[in-house]
Amino acid sequence: MSAGAIPLQPVAFDPCGELPHGVTVLEASAGTGKTYTIAALTARYVAEGIDLERLLLVTFTRIATGELRERVRERLVSVERGLGLRLAGAVAPADEDPVVTLLAREDIEVHRENLARAIASFDAATIATTHGFCQEMLGGLGIAGDLEPDVTFVEDLSDLVDDVVDDLYIRRFAPKRLNPGGAAAFGRTEAGAIARAAIDNPSARIVSDDSEVPKMRLGLAEAARRELEARKRSMMVMTYDDLVERLKSALSGPGGSAVAAQLRARYEVVLVDEFQDTDPAQWEILRLAFGSSQTRPTSLVLIADPKQAIYAFRGADVYAYLEAARAAETQATLPINWRSDQGLIDAHDALFSGVKLGHEGIAYRQVRAADAHQAPGLSGAPVAAPLRVRVAMRSELPQTPRGYARAPDARRHVVCDVAADIVGLLSSGARVAATGGRGAGGVDSAEPVAGDAGSEAIQPAHIAVLVRTNKQAAMIREALEDVGVPAVINGAGSVFGTQPARQWLHLLEALERPASITRAHSAALTAFVGWPAERLAEADDDSLEWEAVHRRLHEWARVLRTRGVASLLETVMRDASEGRALAARVLGDATGERSLTDLRHIGQLLHAAASEEQLGPTALTGWLRTRIAEAETDTADEERSRRLESDAEAVQVLTIHRSKGLEFPVV
């Protein structure tokens, strides 16, 4: 097959086959063992004599990076141990790692020695996010890298962008420069949207027609890009996306060939996980640095699920993936799903077989379940079908005079139906397969469990409910709690969009002015002070009760001013003036565990912001107020995403956006 063609059905990839050379695009649907394959290839390259320092492993989030590092190290250790047992004369077990079997065929002592050396120096391995890799490379390029030594990295530049837009807008539409009619050509809100679109897509070309207002919009977009870049450099701040742009510029600029040669001299093998989440700039870096080279070829393996390249909310770009697929010398696929039952895969095939997701090169690929998942993993359920579509009949719902279901009624019907369905499943005596350590590769390390061999009674923790929005997640959790089923929301949006965030804001506002009666009233109703509304209504402003509240606020303000947010949180947590400490009061509520997790999380974020940006109480209050205003939309910032409140036995409720990479017995 010639490079540049996208095959209708790529060949099956065998991690124990010939090691990839040149550019390889490896399609891998969910559950087909991407991480397993990366770890296997790493073990093989190292065993065959490539120093671990000469391998680069890239993925797209910090969480995924930590998991990949752990999985790769575990695989190196297990393969080295397996070869050691073979050298000691042990007979190969039936479930032996196929990589061990392959490496034991010849040069077993050399292979084991190479692996042992890699394990001893594992801290030197480059396993990083795309941004982490770019930062390391720019730092090593010296002046060619265009990276200031004292630069500060920030996740969010919203405040600076707002300042830029305000200044540009006022400069353009000050009273003396208004249109003849006395009005601005467009409003501040539109100006902000224009500037953000230009800044968020730095590689996009901006065009307009020749009429006056479109040309003004064009000028604003270009000026916003220039002004923001100038201010970032003067303030010595960068975003992580700036790292990508600067490394791309270094590779595509006048000295780009020398920069690429330097990167190829350092890395002989590059494995990129979750490549479908890449964007054109990131692909350009990989292409220029590690694409085909006559002088020093590099093995570049891009592992991706192209179906996920359609998800623009993660920054993916369909055409970046397609361009990489066309540039690859080899295109293959992982054909076995190690996660799902065969019955579920058959049902998906019936629904999606032959579907193309917007392009011939992004197709639904059929896979088969691993041998261990040929039989159903759920037995004794009220309905045996592995995939069900629930249909609400119109007659079941209240209707408008024209015969339509009202949206609120329909939503309530759905969440109640989900809750009833889960109750029926939990009370049915159904059992789920005990997955234990079984996963990619077919190795089953699960210990036997009581009852049926290899199965356990279904529990709430075996079940996940996927929803589209955070609001729907809250509705599902409430419906489950109403029927006595424990449920937790897994990372539903920004923690700054929660009631605990507003309680923190009321507290900080009160600590700004501890003598203010109005602010003390607001603080009293928070979990920090713990007054119920009835007590607030009945208390006289001149009473001893209010005197005690003001005294506490003055003391807390002193702690915040002299010792910081962390000490304030510790002081508030230990305060038992209302008869019980904060944790005991909060946990007494039905959703107390969730609220306490959010209160602590926000406290940690406030402490980090105050420390990094040297914020006093007033500035910190303004910072939190801004974060709350921004939290209307879900955040991709991992630090601000809500944390799971408990590992207790509970149904997991999460959005489809956050479910990527997770697995549950029943969904």
Side-chain angles (χ1 to χ4, degrees):
M1 179 182 64
S2 62
I6 299 177
L8 294 178
Q9 183 64 47
V11 297
F13 182 80
D14 181 3
C16 292
E18 183 181 356
L19 282 170
H21 297 284
V23 180
T24 299
V25 168
L26 178 56
E27 284 194 20
S29 297
T32 54
K34 295 188 287 290
T35 306
Y36 173 91
T37 300
I38 291 172
L41 290 175
T42 301
R44 288 191 59 200
Y45 279 119
V46 167
E48 295 292 346
I50 295 179
D51 290 339
L52 188 62
E53 294 84 351
R54 306 260 303 139
L55 271 74
L56 168 64
L57 279 69
V58 178
T59 189
F60 282 81
T61 68
R62 290 190 294 270
I63 294 175
T65 300
E67 180 187 355
L68 183 60
R69 175 176 289 274
E70 183 178 341
R71 293 280 295 277
V72 167
R73 190 182 189 285
E74 287 175 354
R75 195 63 179 280
L76 294 178
V77 169
S78 66
V79 173
E80 189 272 340
R81 184 182 298 123
L83 293 178
L85 291 173
R86 286 293 206 96
L87 282 170
V91 178
D95 61 350
E96 183 178 61
D97 185 337
V99 173
V100 174
T101 303
L102 175 69
L103 296 176
R105 291 175 183 170
E106 57 185 21
D107 298 330
I108 184 171
E109 292 185 10
V110 174
H111 291 158
R112 187 195 177 195
E113 183 179 333
N114 290 340
L115 287 164
R117 187 167 56 250
I119 294 167
S121 61
F122 189 77
D123 287 344
T126 306
I127 303 175
T129 63
T130 307
H131 298 135
F133 156 69
C134 290
Q135 183 176 1
E136 184 173 342
M137 295 305 99
L138 286 169
L141 292 174
I143 59 173
D146 190 24
L147 181 65
E148 298 86 351
D150 298 324
V151 70
T152 300
F153 290 95
V154 294
E155 291 274 3
D156 186 17
L157 286 174
S158 298
D159 295 342
L160 185 57
V161 172
D162 286 341
D163 290 344
V164 167
V165 175
D166 285 342
D167 292 345
L168 292 175
Y169 190 77
I170 292 171
R171 191 183 307 162
R172 178 64 181 84
F173 292 120
K176 63 181 180 180
R177 303 193 62 183
L178 291 174
N179 286 347
F186 46 85
R188 168 62 178 79
T189 301
E190 183 180 351
I194 292 168
R196 287 186 182 281
I199 290 166
D200 291 344
N201 301 276
S203 301
R205 189 166 64 95
I206 309 172
V207 297
S208 76
D209 59 37
D210 291 331
S211 55
E212 182 179 3
V213 173
K215 288 176 67 176
M216 292 168 63
R217 293 189 179 104
L218 171 67
L220 172 66
E222 293 175 337
R225 280 180 175 174
R226 292 193 302 270
E227 183 67 16
L228 181 66
E229 186 62 30
R231 294 192 189 189
K232 286 191 297 185
R233 288 185 179 270
S234 66
M235 296 168 66
M236 300 288 285
V237 299
M238 287 180 68
T239 66
Y240 291 99
D241 288 339
D242 291 333
L243 293 167
V244 176
E245 288 296 324
R246 292 196 186 182
L247 184 55
K248 188 189 81 168
S249 297
L251 284 163
S252 58
S257 58
V259 172
Q262 188 172 338
L263 295 182
R264 282 194 292 270
R266 178 168 178 180
Y267 296 113
E268 191 171 345
V269 175
V270 180
L271 305 174
V272 183
D273 189 19
E274 304 288 8
F275 176 73
Q276 77 281 342
D277 287 350
T278 196
D279 60 31
Q282 293 165 352
W283 162 237
E284 187 73 355
I285 289 172
L286 295 170
R287 184 186 69 81
L288 292 172
F290 305 116
S292 298
S293 169
Q294 299 300 321
T295 56
R296 195 181 190 106
T298 301
S299 296
L300 174 61
V301 182
L302 309 172
I303 303 176
D305 182 356
K307 297 186 296 300
Q308 296 182 36
I310 65 174
Y311 294 137
F313 69 84
R314 285 207 306 269
D317 186 282
V318 169
Y319 297 102
Y321 170 81
L322 293 172
E323 183 181 338
R326 282 190 288 268
E329 291 96 340
T330 304
Q331 292 155 54
T333 187
L334 296 176
I336 299 176
N337 185 310
W338 302 95
R339 184 180 299 168
S340 302
D341 294 344
Q342 185 63 51
L344 181 59
I345 292 172
D346 291 341
H348 284 151
D349 289 346
L351 285 174
F352 300 113
S353 182
V355 168
K356 305 291 193 299
L357 298 176
H359 190 281
E360 286 295 316
I362 301 181
Y364 175 84
R365 308 287 188 198
Q366 292 192 3
V367 297
R368 73 172 181 85
D371 293 342
H373 293 292
Q374 290 296 315
L378 178 67
S379 60
V383 181
L387 179 88
R388 287 185 294 142
V389 177
R390 302 281 285 168
V391 178
M393 304 305 294
R394 188 168 59 179
S395 60
E396 301 177 52
L397 300 167
Q399 299 174 30
T400 67
R402 299 181 61 185
Y404 295 107
R406 294 181 176 86
D409 294 326
R411 293 191 187 104
R412 187 63 192 168
H413 179 88
V414 169
V415 298
C416 290
D417 183 70
V418 169
D421 200 56
I422 289 174
V423 169
L425 178 60
L426 290 172
S427 60
S428 67
R431 302 187 70 84
V432 295
T435 54
R438 186 175 62 201
V443 179
D444 188 352
S445 59
E447 294 295 328
V449 295
D452 297 339
S455 72
E456 56 189 312
I458 192 163
Q459 300 293 329
H462 291 132
I463 302 172
V465 181
L466 307 188
V467 296
R468 289 185 59 200
T469 67
N470 298 326
K471 183 177 180 180
Q472 292 170 357
M475 292 175 66
I476 290 288
R477 185 183 66 180
E478 290 170 5
L480 288 169
E481 289 175 346
D482 287 345
V483 294
V485 176
V488 293
I489 297 179
N490 188 328
S494 169
V495 73
F496 291 118
T498 64
Q499 183 64 29
R502 290 184 283 276
Q503 293 191 14
W504 263 107
L505 181 60
H506 292 318
L507 176 65
L508 292 178
E509 288 173 339
L511 298 188
E512 276 188 288
R513 293 169 53 191
S516 167
I517 294 175
T518 303
R519 297 190 181 195
H521 283 192
S522 297
L525 291 174
T526 67
F528 300 108
V529 178
W531 279 24
E534 295 82 0
R535 184 175 177 184
L536 178 66
E538 295 170 357
D540 190 331
D541 285 345
D542 296 326
S543 67
L544 293 176
E545 286 184 305
W546 277 117
E547 183 180 330
V549 170
H550 286 292
R551 188 164 55 248
R552 289 162 73 190
L553 292 176
H554 277 287
E555 172 61 19
W556 291 351
R558 184 191 65 77
V559 173
L560 175 62
R561 188 171 58 253
T562 59
R563 292 159 54 194
V565 179
S567 293
L568 170 65
L569 180 58
E570 181 64 23
T571 300
V572 173
M573 292 291 292
R574 286 189 282 105
D575 189 301
S577 301
E578 296 300 320
R580 291 188 299 169
L582 182 145
R585 290 198 307 271
V586 173
L587 291 173
D589 188 72
T591 58
E593 199 171 7
R594 170 78 275 169
S595 298
L596 187 61
T597 299
D598 288 341
L599 285 170
R600 286 172 168 161
H601 186 184
I602 295 163
Q604 292 166 7
L605 293 172
L606 286 167
H607 174 74
S611 301
E612 293 170 6
E613 303 179 34
Q614 299 298 302
L615 302 179
T618 300
L620 188 64
T621 304
W623 181 89
L624 178 57
R625 192 178 291 115
T626 301
R627 300 291 84 79
I628 290 173
E630 294 170 346
E632 293 302 319
T633 56
D634 199 354
T635 177
D637 185 342
E638 294 172 12
E639 292 301 315
R640 298 180 188 175
S641 295
R642 297 179 78 185
R643 296 170 180 167
L644 186 62
E645 62 264 39
S646 173
D647 291 328
E649 289 287 307
V651 174
Q652 308 290 309
V653 186
L654 64 166
T655 64
I656 54 174
H657 296 165
R658 303 196 66 83
S659 67
K660 174 175 157 40
L662 303 179
E663 55 183 290
F664 302 92
V666 179
V667 179

